[in-house]
Amino acid sequence: MNMLTKEFTIGAEIKSLVRDLFPICRSLTGNGVRETLRIISETLPLNLVEIPSGTKVFDWEIPNEWNIEDAYIKNSKGVRIVDFKKNNLHVVGYSTPIDKRMPLAELEKNLHSIAEQPDAIPYVTSYYNKNWGFCLTHNDREKLQEDDYHVVIKSTLEPGSLTYAETFIPGESDQEILLSSYVCHPSMANNELSGPSVLAYIGKWLLEKKRRYSYRIILIPETIGSITYISKNFEQLKKNTIAGFNLSCIGDERHYSNIETRYGETLSDRVVKNLFKYDFKNNTTYSFLERGSDERQFCSPGVDLPIVGLCRSKYNTYPEYHTSLDNLDLVTAAGLSGGYQLVKESITSIEKNYTYKVNNLCEPQLGKRGLYPNISQKGHYGTVNAMMNFLAYADGTNDLISISDRIGVPMHELFPIVQKMYDNGLISTIETC
Amino acid sequence: MNMLTKEFTIGAEIKSLVRDLFPICRSLTGNGVRETLRIISETLPLNLVEIPSGTKVFDWEIPNEWNIEDAYIKNSKGVRIVDFKKNNLHVVGYSTPIDKRMPLAELEKNLHSIAEQPDAIPYVTSYYNKNWGFCLTHNDREKLQEDDYHVVIKSTLEPGSLTYAETFIPGESDQEILLSSYVCHPSMANNELSGPSVLAYIGKWLLEKKRRYSYRIILIPETIGSITYISKNFEQLKKNTIAGFNLSCIGDERHYSNIETRYGETLSDRVVKNLFKYDFKNNTTYSFLERGSDERQFCSPGVDLPIVGLCRSKYNTYPEYHTSLDNLDLVTAAGLSGGYQLVKESITSIEKNYTYKVNNLCEPQLGKRGLYPNISQKGHYGTVNAMMNFLAYADGTNDLISISDRIGVPMHELFPIVQKMYDNGLISTIETC
Amino acid sequence: MNMLTKEFTIGAEIKSLVRDLFPICRSLTGNGVRETLRIISETLPLNLVEIPSGTKVFDWEIPNEWNIEDAYIKNSKGVRIVDFKKNNLHVVGYSTPIDKRMPLAELEKNLHSIAEQPDAIPYVTSYYNKNWGFCLTHNDREKLQEDDYHVVIKSTLEPGSLTYAETFIPGESDQEILLSSYVCHPSMANNELSGPSVLAYIGKWLLEKKRRYSYRIILIPETIGSITYISKNFEQLKKNTIAGFNLSCIGDERHYSNIETRYGETLSDRVVKNLFKYDFKNNTTYSFLERGSDERQFCSPGVDLPIVGLCRSKYNTYPEYHTSLDNLDLVTAAGLSGGYQLVKESITSIEKNYTYKVNNLCEPQLGKRGLYPNISQKGHYGTVNAMMNFLAYADGTNDLISISDRIGVPMHELFPIVQKMYDNGLISTIETC
């Protein structure tokens, strides 16, 4: 199987997982999350953790568990004009139960639509304020006439638990790389089935490879989930985490993006910016001021984990975001494959990132090792430039990312060169981090 | 009284003081300085200090005191063709007495005019070299014909003293902010009645407000005055001064300017550049290489007080500078009000500048405190951005100026946000400086 | 003799030395190097050092000594169609001896020419791989027809020694400036007779002047010579070298260039960039990534001597480079004079570079010392700006190069100002480095 075929295959496999997960109604808590994690665990074994409602996590508290069976608005003729069974975005997330008749004017107070995107059902939640509501396309909303509407939401909002999953994949070192994505969004494909689906396959790949570092993969509800996870694992995370990535909206074909840590200078920042310099060229680096996903918590003052956000088109920047248009057309096998490659290359670059030091003073004689053209003539120097420039900065103060940045040669081009130098006894490594 | 009216009123009040001071003939020393300080002390109480002629101050020596009663050039018909009583700029500052008849050729050696500004009387001094001279418009000079001129200067240059004023306004902290301007220029309005007049009203405002820091306001003759003041108060100034501003040419309407300290990185530099970024937008920052007023002494090597120069149009950059055209038309109520606001905002920003640290790990739950919209929908995040971004950088290493610079929100917009965060127990302060 | 005449004269003298050295066939080793150094020592006394073949120097080994008596290709009519006696570039450097008849097809394998420069004989060497070859113009090569060619190279490649020269010129301080160039190229004028020729005259100038620092001048074969020299003198070089320059291609009229050290921040880097800012304005600064001469060894990790490469047109950037077109037309008296001035000014600037500190607090009174115009009038300040700005940054943290960079005044304009300040007791020096 050649590289291109393999890349296509992995994209198609991830897309298939996205497709399987798409119909499930997820929220911060509830059975939709559990079903989602169960399906993912068929690809990547996961440990499910349940945190009871009411548990304090830093400044927050685990909310009641929300489950929903059915929801609709019937007109006076008994026709379901808005139906949760057709699209779970129709119900505001965490809606309290209701069974009531009301005129249009009263109903309107609890309806949500987007005038500028009249064909899109918006995604709306009300996690921390008891409320109910329905979302619909603006076109459908405009058709509503005065009538006696029957509004039904068969939901429960009761003490239960918040569910998340984690898996720990040990490596040679105790030092860890944290990989995170979230499972709290209902039927939207990029935000957010792309993240957990790509992560499942990254986990599968990690399990099969030799690992220098250990990996901690978590699938959590956004915000409350990361706060909960950090709260429960703070010391461990602070002690061992040397890098990490939060995956979100990583399945469309348009673009590559990263969201920097607070000061943009961690190992994770550096490796992604290096990859963006040479590869994944259609990209944007967003500062922490543009954050919006769980990097908000991972990078908050005092937590300060070196976690960078990775996206294809960043959340909140593409028109389909948080609407029913974020669907299985937007997220493609090619798009998911690109997202997967970005994560994989970031990890590979960190795994192969060492600080090197030359073993000799002055340039080594490459010729006697067969590493240099033996005839010297004008114009013949280009071929060994990368090798010589790598050695010039292998002074024990620069890691490979720095050298790559400085000498203008991508990491993946340096890997075989470095290996050759190492095998020839020309350089030694100093463990980074 | 609304804000606009108040601003206009303060400008008009300052202009009135400028008008009262304008006719007085000031110089480095002498009764003109004393009369000027007496009038200012009706607005802001001042302590007058007299330093005897001959006193050594660092590399300098207090010069003799200069006073002048009258001066003129009469033609052979007995007409005063140049008359000190009409404009005190007609006499070179520190002119020695003379009473002598002479032909035009001899007179010409001691005349000063500006060919490029034929309507302007130039401002000329000869402080440290015994000399006499007259200044006149180039137009008038060109009309002079061969004649027997009678030249009279009734001045005295004798041991006396150098006069300056200071006032100390204590605050909660011993740490001081130094405010300085100078009173050695005769009848010119921007350079320099604008500075001491604005400073009088700043002092008045400071006396009426709650003060975190202490304030030291000085009104001195330029150069020799600041050298004298530093020489007499060196240890005190070095120990307590955390910021300060030297005011000059702060009454026209054209522009805002600051002159950086030697390396441009003190608290005073930072606060002014922050204000220039968001407000007072028609501005120029001049490096220390463009200095010309008492920042030359305050920032000299080893003195190194954190004093920034504040101007509207910087001295030496506007055409009326150091001529009779720098008059009561150039300096306006609106111009003075703008200068006053710049100084007031600079002080306010320093008073409210603390280094903050969040009290919790991870983002706080703003919703339960009524600080966050409870319904989450696409597009609704903008309103709390400043709040969240402030918290993101409240990590104990950034003061409010740094945070404002970084997150793109003016200080005055942050003040109420910070207060709200503080009142809700979300942040603590670490005293700066 | 005025300055211009003197400059022309020095250029003509250097050109004369280049002309004398031009015909000699030099290589890494051999009698051509010895003869070259003997001729140079008539201008600058030199100590010759011989290092036996087989000696280990870091990762390298001194090669056998190569000497050549004659070489040619004769056609079947006995005509020398390629003749070493006409141009020593015709033979590949370090060619092994041969005396053999062969057809064109076999001969072609050992011929070198440049299709894009059909009139140029290329310069080719094969130092570390036993081989033989001839170089010729592409035009001549295209004329070759099928024939029975007689190929003769009367060379020897036998144990002997590598020859280099050094001279040590002591100064008041043990701290040294290293000056290096190389003598391993056959008949080419810019690369590389310009370097050793300019250096000979720099050495002569140094011998005649008062010297703050000591100077170590070395003339070596490139690469193996610098590796050898560093290997033999490592501790001494590391202990005392505060700056230095490697001269190469310093005799054409087109341009000035420097090649930075690895991080571009040493004293040598700073002084050259300062000179390039104000003088020698037609210049390019190349990063260490563009290196190619002995700065490769001097600046290698762990060696890290502060040696900057100085060129007129940098090697490998001008069309005549490493061909017979790099001849006595390319290198001119004016070009050599410019190269000489660049080295001389770099040295002068380092010799006069001190860190200064003012002796007084606040500005000194320049007037009483006759250093300031005594009449103060608008526009009269310009003349003392450089003086005042120098004093403003003479705070004990900036050396003169830094001050020159910062205040926008060339070093050579500052020298007399600094001297005046020093003579007036206004400043003290703190020894740099």
Side-chain angles (χ1 to χ4, degrees), chain A residues 6-22:
Chain A
K6 194 171 168 188
E7 280 188 22
F8 179 80
T9 303
I10 196 81
E13 286 179 35
I14 302 171
K15 175 75 186 262
S16 170
L17 177 55
V18 170
R19 202 184 307 273
D20 291 347
L21 298 171
F22 192 76

Side-chain angles (χ1 to χ4, degrees), chain A residues 358 361-365 368-369 374-378 381 388-389 391-395 397-398 406-407, chain C residues 58-60 112 117 124-125 128-129 230 234 262-263 288-289 291 296-297 300-303 316 319 321:
Chain A
V358 292
L361 292 173
C362 290
E363 290 181 349
Q365 205 209 338
K368 70 182 181 189
R369 297 178 175 88
N374 278 301
I375 286 250
S376 162
Q377 185 180 351
K378 186 177 177 177
Y381 303 130
M388 298 311 286
N389 284 345
L391 289 173
Y393 288 95
D395 61 7
T397 72
N398 301 304
R406 184 179 280 273
I407 73 175
Chain C
F58 294 134
D59 193 46
W60 300 62
H112 305 275
Q117 292 178 289
V124 181
T125 65
Y128 298 101
N129 196 33
I230 295 165
F234 186 65
R262 290 201 299 133
Y263 295 103
F288 194 66
L289 297 177
R291 72 200 177 282
R296 284 159 47 204
Q297 314 309 329
S300 59
V303 176
N316 223 346
Y321 173 74

Side-chain angles (χ1 to χ4, degrees), chain A residues 83-129:
Chain A
D83 187 357
F84 167 78
K85 298 251 156 116
K86 287 194 180 150
N87 191 323
N88 54 39
L89 292 173
H90 278 313
V91 177
V92 167
Y94 263 64
S95 276
T96 46
I98 189 165
D99 183 346
K100 192 177 171 191
R101 290 179 180 278
M102 59 184 73
L104 181 58
E106 189 180 340
L107 178 61
E108 276 284 2
K109 292 176 191 159
N110 291 56
L111 294 185
H112 304 275
S113 66
I114 308 168
E116 298 77 17
Q117 291 178 291
D119 290 325
I121 307 166
Y123 166 52
V124 181
T125 65
S126 183
Y127 295 140
Y128 298 101
N129 197 33

